[in-house]
Amino acid sequence: MANVVVVGAQWGDEGKGKIVDWLSERADIVVRYQGGHNAGHTLVIGGTTYKLSLLPSGVVRPGKLGIIGNGVVVDPWALGDEIARLAKQGVTITRDNLRIAENATLILPLHRELDQMRESAAGDGKIGTTGRGIGPAYEDKVGRRAIRVQDLKNLGTLGPKVDRILVHHNALRRGLDQPQISKEALMAQLIEVAPKILPYMDVTWELLDQARRSGKRILFEGAQGALLDIDHGTYPFVTSSNTVAAQAATGSGVGPHALGNILGIAKAYTTRVGSGPFPTEQSNDIGEQLGQRGHEFGTVTGRKRRCGWFDACLVRQTIKVTGITGIALTKLDVLDGFPELKVSVGYMLDGERIDRLPAGHNAQARVQPIYETFKGWTQSTRGARSWTQLPAEAVKYVKTIEELIECPVTLLSTSPERDDTILMRDPFQD
């Protein structure tokens, strides 16, 4: 059996929550390997809706272990709120079903404040951050001044690390004409939050190595999509971590050989939250219709998603960059009833055809999509669980997408319900 990495093949919000939940029934361990609580997953199980942002999706299933890996930045206050919220829905989080990497970086209140202050000061130059402190926390990690989970064990010797992080942050706050933070105030926050997170701390790389050697199936759960990757995304309108599949190894402490199959998740159309280029965006009735039918609002932020046609050129690019071996195509049912559908097969840039999205954001903003048009279908695909239940035009649409993205569609989702899924190939099979 193979382990599986799930990665978004667009700008996030591709429906990973349902797919990860569907796969987690077959897995023993589910690992979050990057991002923070800025990414939301909505799970619908037995009529109950669970909204997760930091916890791995497997925690809502009995007998599964969820791991927050070292590549994740952890807001312990947000984590405590999420655990309390799930408890009200009958899901108890204990050390039996959750472990957190001892070397994961903490998001502190000063990170959230800096994130919001800088975005507010940016005016028209906003990146579109969620304001949750993810970017500043990753900056401190790379700057080697972060407070990590394991530091909470030894608060009595934490003074020099607190001094180091405050030298940096107070200089920034002075520049933004904001009050400085005292060492005593930050220490009090750390003392207050330590008991909320330390019970879950573990040497998770070792735990994963033991699980792999014993033949357990591991599901590596990505947060945002590949197009938000700090290196390979639509920079600078990206997140602050690597979101491609290779990060599953670095962000959890396993070797690349342990990753197995790479399952990319893509919607049958395209959405994006926040600022940045979006070649196939439909700022018209079609975009509104896609948004209303698809309930396109962010799980965590509630922000309205921008909507547009499927971009085969862009998905093909992310498949190659991130090593995707199969695509899970979601929300096919949202396209029911459209008389015609369009798919971008390439771009025109300054009078020249290109088959990739350029790296420069000015060039990205100038590309014009080249569309192929397809006949739509009037029958409903919602809830279909086999190819025979799909109209011929819908089957043709999926098969054409396979050809254009140069990758097989191995799983097809036709509603938010986990069982409304057509499986062509089990990702856990070698």
Side-chain angles (χ1 to χ4, degrees):
M1 305 301 288
N3 296 323
V4 177
V5 180
V6 172
V7 59
Q10 295 161 316
W11 278 290
D13 304 308
E14 300 98 346
K16 291 188 294 297
K18 170 193 167 169
I19 302 302
V20 169
D21 173 62
W22 191 86
L23 291 169
S24 69
E25 190 175 49
R26 295 157 174 78
D28 300 298
I29 299 174
V30 183
V31 186
R32 274 285 308 273
Y33 58 84
Q34 55 79 215
H37 63 302
N38 54 340
H41 292 167
T42 300
L43 313 178
V44 181
I45 304 172
T48 302
T49 299
Y50 302 96
K51 294 191 175 183
L52 307 179
S53 55
L54 186 58
L55 290 169
S57 296
V59 298
V60 299
R61 296 205 160 276
K64 310 297 180 182
L65 176 63
I67 292 179
I68 296 176
N70 57 275
V72 179
V73 285
V74 181
D75 183 326
W77 291 272
L79 178 63
D81 291 343
E82 191 170 339
I83 289 172
R85 191 165 62 248
L86 282 181
K88 293 179 180 178
Q89 294 184 279
V91 178
T92 302
I93 305 299
T94 68
R95 189 175 172 82
D96 291 334
N97 60 357
L98 177 67
R99 305 290 176 87
I100 302 174
E102 62 178 357
N103 51 338
T105 293
L106 294 176
I107 298 175
L108 306 175
L110 55 81
H111 293 128
R112 293 196 301 270
E113 293 170 7
L114 178 60
D115 204 357
Q116 294 164 10
M117 289 187 295
R118 288 199 301 205
E119 192 76 344
S120 177
D124 293 337
K126 289 181 179 180
I127 298 297
T129 171
T130 58
R132 283 168 164 73
I134 282 82
Y138 274 117
E139 290 174 34
D140 281 348
K141 177 180 180 177
V142 175
R144 294 168 292 181
R145 55 181 170 265
I147 307 297
R148 304 198 293 179
V149 173
Q150 62 186 358
D151 293 325
L152 298 178
K153 286 193 308 180
N154 305 299
L155 291 170
T157 60
L158 196 55
K161 289 188 176 182
V162 171
D163 290 335
R164 180 176 172 80
I165 197 171
L166 287 181
V167 165
H168 176 78
H169 279 269
N170 280 335
L172 292 174
R173 295 173 75 96
R174 287 194 298 271
L176 292 167
D177 197 26
Q178 296 294 324
Q180 296 186 61
I181 299 169
S182 71
K183 182 176 182 178
E184 293 73 21
L186 180 53
M187 284 299 300
Q189 291 172 335
L190 295 173
I191 291 168
E192 179 262 332
V193 82
K196 297 180 180 179
I197 193 169
L198 285 177
Y200 307 104
M201 187 181 74
D202 207 341
V203 185
T204 53
W205 67 264
E206 190 172 56
L207 187 65
L208 287 168
D209 182 65
Q210 293 168 353
R212 182 182 62 81
R213 290 175 182 275
S214 66
K216 293 188 182 297
R217 285 191 272 191
I218 305 169
L219 180 62
F220 298 91
E221 175 186 9
Q224 298 90 351
L227 291 170
L228 293 174
D229 186 274
I230 189 70
D231 289 303
H232 301 288
T234 48
Y235 191 90
F237 302 99
V238 292
T239 194
S240 300
S241 62
N242 288 110
T243 60
V244 294
Q247 177 64 18
T250 306
S252 60
V254 302
H257 65 285
L259 297 185
N261 287 321
I262 314 298
L263 182 66
I265 317 296
K267 278 179 183 167
Y269 51 102
T270 310
T271 61
R272 176 166 198 170
V273 171
S275 306
F278 184 172
T280 63
E281 182 175 12
Q282 299 296 298
S283 302
N284 51 30
D285 290 344
I286 290 172
E288 285 294 321
Q289 202 170 357
L290 288 169
Q292 290 173 10
R293 289 186 180 186
H295 305 290
E296 297 297 354
F297 297 91
T299 300
V300 172
T301 64
R303 289 190 293 180
K304 185 177 180 181
R305 297 175 185 140
R306 300 154 63 191
C307 299
W309 295 121
F310 187 84
D311 193 332
C313 183
L314 208 50
V315 173
R316 183 173 64 244
Q317 182 171 328
T318 62
I319 285 170
K320 293 179 178 180
V321 167
T322 205
I324 290 169
T325 55
I327 283 288
L329 195 66
T330 65
K331 291 198 168 185
L332 182 69
D333 55 301
V334 174
L335 300 180
D336 292 352
F338 279 93
E340 66 176 27
L341 305 169
K342 293 184 178 182
V343 173
S344 173
V345 297
Y347 308 117
M348 295 299 296
L349 175 61
D350 302 333
E352 178 185 354
R353 175 166 178 155
I354 59 174
D355 293 314
R356 60 177 175 80
L357 191 68
H361 84 271
N362 288 325
Q364 290 171 357
R366 295 200 309 276
V367 298
Q368 297 296 318
I370 300 169
Y371 286 118
E372 285 189 13
T373 302
F374 301 86
K375 182 181 178 183
W377 53 88
T378 55
Q379 306 100 304
S380 174
T381 64
R382 187 175 181 86
R385 299 183 182 182
S386 71
W387 282 107
T388 58
Q389 294 177 298
L390 297 176
E393 293 84 358
V395 173
K396 181 179 179 181
Y397 181 76
V398 174
K399 293 298 182 182
T400 302
I401 282 178
E402 282 187 317
E403 294 174 6
L404 291 171
I405 64 177
E406 301 174 6
C407 184
V409 173
T410 57
L411 192 149
L412 188 64
S413 171
T414 57
S415 94
E417 290 291 337
R418 65 183 303 275
D419 291 328
D420 292 340
T421 305
I422 302 172
L423 178 67
M424 282 70 80
R425 179 174 178 267
D426 188 343
F428 281 112
Q429 296 292 333
D430 286 317

